[in-house]
Amino acid sequence: MLDMAGTATTEFRWKPPPQPPPQQQTISDSDSDSGSDSENHQHRHNDLSNSIFKAYLDCHSSSSPSSVDLAKIQSFLASSSSGAVSCLICLERIKRTDPTWSCTSSCFAVFHLFCIQSWARQCLDLQAARAVTRPSSSPTEPEAVWNCPKCRSSYQKSKIPRRYLCYCGKEEDPPADNPWILPHSCGEVCERPLSSNCGHCCLLLCHPGPCASCPKLVKAKCFCGGVEDVRRCGHKNFSCGDVCERVLDCNVHQCREICHDGECPPCRERAVYRCCCGKVKEEKDCCERVFRCEASCENMLNCGKHVCERGCHSGECGLCPYQGKRSCPCGKRFYQGLSCDVVAPLCGGTCDKVLGCGYHRCPERCHRGSCLETCRIVVTKSCRCGGTKKQVPCHQELACERKCQRVRDCARHACRRRCCDGECPPCSEICGKRLRCRNHKCQSPCHQGPCAPCPIMVTISCACGETHFEVPCGTETNQKPPRCRKLCHITQLCRHGQNQKPHKCHYGACPPCRLLCDEEYPCGHKCKLRCHGPRPPPNREFMIKPTKKMLNIQAESTPGSPCPRCPELVWRPCVGHHLAAEKMMVCSDKTQFACDNLCGNPLPCGNHYCSFTCHPLEIKSSSLDKRSETCEKCDLRCQKERTPRCQHPCPRRCHPGDCPPCKTLVKRSCHCGTMVHAFECIYYNTLSEKDQTKARSCRGPCHRKLPNCTHLCPEICHPGQCPLPEKCGKKVVARCKCLTLKKEWLCQDVQAAHRATGSDPKEVPKNQFGVGLLPCDSNCKSKLQMAESVLQQRNVKVIEEKEEPSGKNASKRRKKRERGQDIKETTRLQKLAVATKRILMVVMLMAMLAAVTYYGYKGILWLSDWMNELEEQRQKSRRYPRI
C-alpha cells in the first residue's frame, strides 16, 4: 500500500520483519462478518505499516511537523483499512464503494460526496439569503464561500466537488473491487506538490491525510552558513552546533549564540557610553548605546536671549523660534521686525479657529492659549436610528431609547440594541441546538441553517488501552472494541498461573483454567478434578460511556472451591497398630477400629508394657468410636540403682532412662571440727579419697588444742593427730611459787621442766602451767607485804567515792547548770527576733521603692498631658484670635 520512488526508495521500501513486534493495533470489531482471511490481512497490514513508519518516526522528535503528519497518515491508513471511517455529516459508515471527498486544507477528513455537495449548497444558500435581507454598504460584494464541516476552511463556490476522485485527484472513480489497494485510492504514486514549496512531489502511493516531508537528498547549509551537508529536503534546515559568529547590527561584535535560525539577538556587550548631548555617562548594552538623558539642553540660542527648550539631542540647537516674521495668536495679522523678547500683540478680531467638532469656529476674540475643548453651539441633531430629532450642543451625542426590533443574521433573535443605526452586529448568543451526534450541543454563535458536525472524536480502545482507534462522536454506539494482540496482563490466581496458555487482551472475565487440579492432599494423593481454584477479578465489560459509579466499582476475585475428600482406597491399621489387623477403607474416612489383641505397647516408663485391650495410642475420638483411652500409668517407685552408687533412693516414680543425679546434701565437718561442709551427693561421691580429704579442709589454722599444753595447733586444718605436740614453740611465763618472779620460757622447755619434776604436762591445770618452776628469793616476802598495803588503800578510796555528796554542794552545781541552759535558750530567741526584724525592714524598703516608682511615673504622665493641653490651647488661640 505504500511505495517510494527516486532517491528515498531504500528507506521507505516495504521490508516486513521476520517477527514483527506487537505494535499498537487499530483494528475494529465492527465488521464481525468478515472471515479469518480478512483479519489476517488486516494484522499483516498493521504490522507492515508500523514497521515502515516506526523507523522514520524514530529519526525525528515527536513534536516536529513531519512526525505529526506521518502520525496522521498512519492513523488514516489504519482507519481506512479497518473500515472505521465515518462521515461527519451523516454519521454513517463510509464503505469501499461509496463516492467520497476529502478536505485538502488542514483536517483531511473524508465525507460522502453527496453529503459534502449538500453541505456546500446549504452554506451558499444561507449566505445568499443573508445578502438579500441585509443591504450591503460596499459596492463590490464578497464572493460566496463554503466551509469544511470539520476544520472550517473556506472554499470558493467553484470548488464544490462534482466528481468522485481518488485521494491524489488523478483518477476519477477509483476501483473499489481491488483488495490490494487502499479504499478510495488509485494505487499510483501521489505526486501532489509538497507543502514546503521545495518543488518536489509526494512519493507515497495515493493516500489519505497530509503528505510526508520531502525525502529528496539535497545540499544545504546550516543556519549560520558555516557547515554544508547532504540532508533530506524536508529537513534541510539544521544547526551545526557551533558558535554563530555572524557580525551583529553594531558592526563591531559577533554573535556568541549556538547556530540558530532567524536573526541574531541584539548585542549585549556592556560598555560605558555617552548620551546624545554628552552630559551623562552610563554603562549599557551595545544595542542600547544611543540613548537620551532626562536633562534638558538649556544651551543659549543664537539670539543670546533664549535657551534651547528641547531635551537631550545631538547636533546644533537651531535658530531662535521667536525671530523673524510673527503673527498674532489667531494668525490674521503679521508683524515684521519684532524683537524675540517682545510678545506679539493681539489683533482684536474674532479668533475663527476650527473647533474640535470640525464644523464650527471659535467665536471669541483673538486670544492666547487653546480654544474651547468642547463646541457648545446648539444644533439640531438626529439619533442613530433616525427616529428622534432634537436641538443639543454640538459636542453632545444624541441617542434615543428605542430598541431595534430587526432580526439578526441568525434569523432567530432580535437585535434589541438601543438606537441602532441599522448595521446590527452578528448574534452573540450560543446556538445550543442538539447536534446530530445526540451527545453535545452546538457551541458556535447563533446561525442559520444546519449546525456543523460535532468536532469531537471518540476513542474506542481495548481493555488494556494499547490498541485504539478514533471515530466521530455519535458513531461510537455501533462500534465494537478493537481486537488487541497484546497479552492479557491479569495474573491468574490458581496454582497453574505460570503453566496456563496465555490469552489476548479482553473485556470481562478471563477464560477458566482447563488443567487438572493436581492439588496434593495431606494424605499424599492428588486431586484429579479440573482446576477449581480462585479466579482473578474480571475486567469491566465494554461500555462506550461508563459512568463514574461504574469506574469506581472495584471487581473482586472469585474464591475457588476446596478440593473434595480424597476418594482413594487404602489399607488402614487398627488403633493399636497390631500386625494382621488391617482393613481396606476410603482414604478420607478417618473412622478408627480396635482389634481383640492386648495393647502390649511399652509404657512411658520404658520398663513395663500396657496390659489393656487394643485401644488408641493417643487420646482420639471419632463418630463411631467414642472411647478415648490411653495406656495404663505406671505408679511404682523407681527401683533402679544409681550410678555412681549412693545410699539415697531415686525420688521419682518409674521412669525411662537413667535416674537424675542425686542432689541430696551430705554434711561433712572439716578435719579440725571448726566448720561443717554441705556437698551434693553426686559431687562428693564422684571425688577420689584424696580430693574428698582436700575438699573437707577448711583451709584455716587448726583449732584443736595440743595434748600436752594449752596452745592450739599451728598447722593448717589437717586430718589425724596434730604432729609433734612436744615441740610446741609458744612462749610461756614461768613463775615461782609465790608468783613474784617470772620469766619467759618456751612451751617445750616448760613441758620438759614439768616432766623433770615428775608431773605429766597433760595433768597440770591451766592456771598452774609454768608455776613453781623458778625458785623464790629474799625479795619475794617484802613485795608481798607492799602489795597487800596498796590493795587496802585502794579499797578505802572506792568506798568514799560511792558515798553521796552533801546537800549544799549539790544545790550549787544544779544552779550553775540551770543558768547555763537559760543563757543558751535566751540567745536563740534573740537571734530569731533579730532575723525577723531585718526581713521586715527589707520588705518595707522594697514596697516604698515600688510605690515611689509607680506614683512618679503617673506624675510624669500627668505632667506631660497637662503640657500638651497647654500647647493645644496656645495653638487654638493663635489660629482663632479674639476679635
Side-chain angles (χ1 to χ4, degrees):
M1 297 181 57
L2 294 177
D3 195 5
M4 301 298 294
T7 59
T9 55
T10 58
E11 184 173 352
F12 286 90
R13 186 173 297 165
W14 282 7
K15 291 182 180 181
Q19 293 181 355
Q23 299 292 335
Q24 195 175 29
Q25 303 297 319
T26 56
I27 301 173
S28 174
D29 279 349
S30 57
D31 297 337
S32 59
D33 54 346
S34 60
S36 61
D37 295 338
S38 62
E39 291 183 12
N40 297 333
H41 171 69
Q42 290 177 359
H43 289 316
R44 287 196 301 269
H45 165 263
N46 282 278
D47 292 341
L48 192 58
S49 62
N50 287 333
S51 64
I52 292 173
F53 286 102
K54 184 177 184 299
Y56 193 82
L57 289 171
D58 291 343
C59 300
H60 309 284
S61 62
S62 60
S63 60
S64 62
S66 61
S67 299
V68 175
D69 293 342
L70 284 172
K72 284 184 179 179
I73 296 172
Q74 188 179 12
S75 177
F76 276 114
L77 289 176
S79 300
S80 300
S81 62
S82 61
V85 180
S86 301
C87 178
L88 290 176
I89 300 176
C90 65
L91 299 181
E92 296 292 337
R93 182 71 58 83
I94 297 177
K95 301 179 181 179
R96 295 177 65 93
T97 57
D98 293 341
T100 60
W101 175 86
S102 61
C103 176
T104 58
S105 295
S106 60
C107 66
F108 301 96
V110 182
F111 307 91
H112 285 118
L113 181 61
F114 177 77
C115 293
I116 197 64
Q117 290 174 349
S118 177
W119 175 270
R121 291 192 191 98
Q122 289 180 4
C123 291
L124 294 176
D125 294 344
L126 181 60
Q127 291 183 10
R130 289 180 183 176
V132 171
T133 56
R134 177 179 294 178
S136 177
S137 59
S138 61
T140 59
E141 295 183 0
E143 186 178 359
V145 295
W146 57 278
N147 301 323
C148 172
K150 185 175 183 181
C151 63
R152 313 303 295 174
S153 298
S154 299
Y155 291 90
Q156 297 179 359
K157 184 178 180 179
S158 59
K159 293 293 183 67
I160 295 178
R162 305 184 187 280
R163 298 181 301 168
Y164 171 38
L165 301 175
C166 64
Y167 292 118
C168 63
K170 292 188 299 183
E171 184 176 349
E172 186 176 356
D173 296 330
D177 55 349
N178 191 349
W180 298 103
I181 63 174
L182 192 69
H184 317 292
S185 170
C186 63
E188 302 295 333
V189 179
C190 180
E191 292 185 354
R192 283 185 289 182
L194 298 176
S195 59
S196 58
N197 297 325
C198 61
H200 303 128
C201 298
C202 180
L203 300 179
L204 295 174
L205 294 182
C206 182
H207 62 88
C211 296
S213 59
C214 184
K216 294 274 187 181
L217 294 175
V218 295
K219 288 186 177 181
K221 290 185 178 182
C222 64
F223 297 120
C224 65
V227 177
E228 185 176 2
D229 191 11
V230 177
R231 302 181 71 87
R232 299 289 181 187
C233 181
H235 303 279
K236 58 186 176 182
N237 298 326
F238 69 99
S239 173
C240 62
D242 298 333
V243 180
C244 180
E245 294 186 353
R246 283 188 287 186
V247 179
L248 299 176
D249 296 337
C250 61
N251 295 325
V252 177
H253 305 103
Q254 294 179 342
C255 179
R256 296 298 178 186
E257 299 290 334
I258 303 297
C259 180
H260 58 87
D261 189 14
E263 297 293 332
C264 295
C267 182
R268 295 298 178 183
E269 296 289 339
R270 304 284 294 182
V272 178
Y273 299 98
R274 288 180 177 272
C275 63
C276 295
C277 64
K279 295 181 180 179
V280 179
K281 290 183 179 181
E282 289 185 7
E283 184 181 2
K284 289 183 172 292
D285 295 338
C286 182
C287 60
E288 301 174 355
R289 60 186 180 277
V290 178
F291 69 98
R292 298 190 180 194
C293 64
E294 298 180 357
S296 58
C297 181
E298 295 184 355
N299 290 334
M300 189 63 67
L301 299 177
N302 57 351
C303 64
K305 298 178 180 179
H306 298 94
V307 294
C308 180
E309 296 179 355
R310 296 167 58 189
C312 178
H313 64 89
S314 59
E316 299 294 334
C317 295
L319 301 177
C320 179
Y322 301 105
Q323 288 181 347
K325 186 178 179 180
R326 288 190 292 167
S327 65
C328 64
C330 65
K332 294 180 178 179
R333 180 175 294 182
F334 295 91
Y335 301 97
Q336 189 73 28
L338 290 177
S339 177
C340 64
D341 57 346
V342 177
V343 180
L346 302 176
C347 65
T350 305
C351 179
D352 281 342
K353 289 183 180 179
V354 179
L355 296 178
C357 63
Y359 300 105
H360 305 100
R361 296 181 180 273
C362 180
E364 297 184 2
R365 291 184 177 276
C366 180
H367 60 87
R368 294 183 177 88
S370 59
C371 297
L372 297 175
E373 294 181 358
T374 58
C375 180
R376 301 183 181 276
I377 298 175
V378 178
V379 295
T380 301
K381 284 187 176 183
S382 59
C383 62
R384 287 192 298 267
C385 64
T388 303
K389 289 186 178 180
K390 191 177 180 180
Q391 289 186 349
V392 292
C394 182
H395 71 276
Q396 184 176 347
E397 292 289 337
L398 180 61
C400 65
E401 297 296 325
R402 295 179 182 178
K403 292 183 179 180
C404 181
Q405 300 298 329
R406 296 186 184 91
V407 180
R408 295 188 179 183
D409 54 358
C410 64
R412 294 175 59 190
H413 304 99
C415 176
R416 307 295 296 171
R417 191 173 66 161
R418 294 183 183 275
C419 195
C420 181
D421 57 355
E423 294 293 333
C424 298
C427 185
S428 59
E429 297 187 16
I430 301 300
C431 177
K433 292 181 181 178
R434 179 75 66 178
L435 298 179
R436 292 198 62 180
C437 66
R438 302 296 179 184
N439 297 326
H440 306 94
K441 294 183 179 180
C442 181
Q443 298 298 323
S444 302
C446 193
H447 58 85
Q448 287 185 355
C451 298
C454 183
I456 299 175
M457 301 295 289
V458 179
T459 301
I460 307 297
S461 63
C462 63
C464 64
E466 293 291 334
T467 305
H468 56 82
F469 61 88
E470 292 184 348
V471 296
C473 181
T475 63
E476 68 274 7
T477 55
N478 300 327
Q479 302 293 335
K480 294 181 180 179
R483 293 190 182 96
C484 180
R485 302 189 67 185
K486 300 284 185 181
L487 297 180
C488 179
H489 65 278
I490 298 178
T491 304
Q492 298 296 326
L493 300 181
C494 67
R495 61 193 310 270
H496 310 107
Q498 298 180 353
N499 301 328
Q500 271 190 349
K501 183 180 179 180
H503 57 277
K504 295 181 181 179
C505 173
H506 60 87
Y507 281 97
C510 294
C513 179
R514 299 294 181 181
L515 301 177
L516 294 180
C517 177
D518 209 24
E519 181 76 21
E520 186 174 356
Y521 289 107
C523 60
H525 302 115
K526 293 185 178 180
C527 180
K528 296 181 180 181
L529 300 179
R530 185 166 288 178
C531 180
H532 48 83
R535 300 182 65 182
N539 288 326
R540 63 177 179 85
E541 297 296 333
F542 175 70
M543 297 179 63
I544 300 298
K545 293 181 179 180
T547 60
K548 189 174 182 181
K549 184 178 180 180
M550 293 292 294
L551 293 176
N552 292 335
I553 294 176
Q554 295 183 357
E556 297 180 355
S557 59
T558 304
S561 59
C563 295
R565 302 174 68 180
C566 181
E568 298 291 337
L569 294 176
V570 294
W571 287 98
R572 186 70 52 79
C574 65
V575 294
H577 295 277
H578 296 110
L579 296 176
E582 297 178 349
K583 287 184 180 181
M584 180 68 73
M585 300 179 67
V586 179
C587 183
S588 58
D589 187 5
K590 303 300 181 182
T591 304
Q592 296 180 350
F593 66 95
C595 64
D596 297 332
N597 299 327
L598 295 179
C599 177
N601 189 47
L603 296 179
C605 65
N607 304 320
H608 307 93
Y609 297 93
C610 179
S611 59
F612 291 166
T613 56
C614 182
H615 64 85
L617 300 181
E618 297 177 356
I619 299 177
K620 295 182 179 180
S621 62
S622 61
S623 59
L624 300 178
D625 187 3
K626 296 297 182 180
R627 295 177 299 171
S628 57
E629 301 178 2
T630 57
C631 294
E632 60 180 339
K633 295 182 180 180
C634 185
D635 296 331
L636 301 177
R637 281 277 184 183
C638 179
Q639 299 175 0
K640 295 181 181 180
E641 292 185 359
R642 289 190 170 188
T643 53
R645 297 180 63 181
C646 68
Q647 59 182 355
H648 306 109
C650 179
R652 296 175 59 186
R653 295 191 178 275
C654 187
H655 60 84
D658 296 333
C659 296
C662 184
K663 299 291 184 179
T664 306
L665 295 179
V666 179
K667 295 183 179 180
R668 297 290 185 270
S669 62
C670 64
H671 303 298
C672 62
T674 304
M675 60 186 302
V676 177
H677 297 282
F679 302 99
E680 289 185 355
C681 182
I682 183 65
Y683 169 75
Y684 189 77
N685 290 333
T686 54
L687 296 177
S688 61
E689 293 185 2
K690 184 177 180 181
D691 293 337
Q692 288 181 359
T693 304
K694 186 177 180 181
R696 289 180 60 183
S697 175
C698 64
R699 293 177 179 79
C702 184
H703 291 280
R704 288 181 291 180
K705 294 181 180 180
L706 294 176
N708 298 332
C709 61
T710 60
H711 301 115
L712 301 178
C713 178
E715 299 294 333
I716 301 300
C717 181
H718 56 86
Q721 297 294 329
C722 294
L724 302 175
E726 300 86 3
K727 300 296 183 180
C728 180
K730 297 289 185 178
K731 291 183 179 182
V732 179
V733 178
R735 298 177 182 272
C736 61
K737 290 183 178 181
C738 64
L739 304 178
T740 302
L741 299 178
K742 60 181 179 178
K743 190 176 181 180
E744 288 185 353
W745 286 10
L746 292 177
C747 183
Q748 57 184 354
D749 297 337
V750 174
Q751 292 181 19
H754 279 293
R755 288 191 187 97
T757 57
S759 60
D760 191 359
K762 297 180 181 180
E763 299 176 357
V764 177
K766 183 178 179 180
N767 55 356
Q768 296 296 325
F769 192 75
V771 177
L773 297 179
L774 295 179
C776 293
D777 57 1
S778 58
N779 296 327
C780 290
K781 294 181 179 180
S782 60
K783 287 181 180 181
L784 286 173
Q785 293 177 359
M786 290 177 63
E788 290 177 358
S789 61
V790 170
L791 288 173
Q792 290 179 0
Q793 291 178 0
R794 287 180 180 175
N795 292 333
V796 173
K797 289 181 179 180
V798 170
I799 293 170
E800 291 178 356
E801 289 178 358
K802 288 181 179 180
E803 292 179 358
E804 293 182 0
S806 60
K808 295 181 179 179
N809 295 334
S811 59
K812 290 180 180 179
R813 291 176 183 174
R814 289 175 183 173
K815 290 180 181 179
K816 287 181 180 180
R817 291 176 183 174
E818 291 176 358
R819 288 176 185 173
Q821 292 177 359
D822 294 340
I823 291 169
K824 289 180 182 178
E825 291 177 359
T826 304
T827 304
R828 290 178 182 176
L829 291 173
Q830 288 178 355
K831 288 181 180 180
L832 182 61
V834 171
T836 304
K837 289 180 180 179
R838 289 179 181 177
I839 292 171
L840 291 174
M841 291 294 290
V842 171
V843 172
M844 291 176 64
L845 286 175
M846 291 179 67
M848 290 175 65
L849 287 174
V852 169
T853 303
Y854 176 76
Y855 287 107
Y857 179 71
K858 288 287 187 180
I860 292 171
L861 292 178
W862 177 83
L863 181 62
S864 177
D865 294 341
W866 178 71
M867 294 177 70
N868 291 336
E869 290 178 358
L870 289 179
E871 187 66 24
E872 290 178 358
Q873 291 178 2
R874 290 178 184 174
Q875 290 180 359
K876 288 181 180 180
S877 61
R878 290 177 184 174
R879 292 179 184 175
Y880 309 105
R882 295 180 181 179
I883 300 175

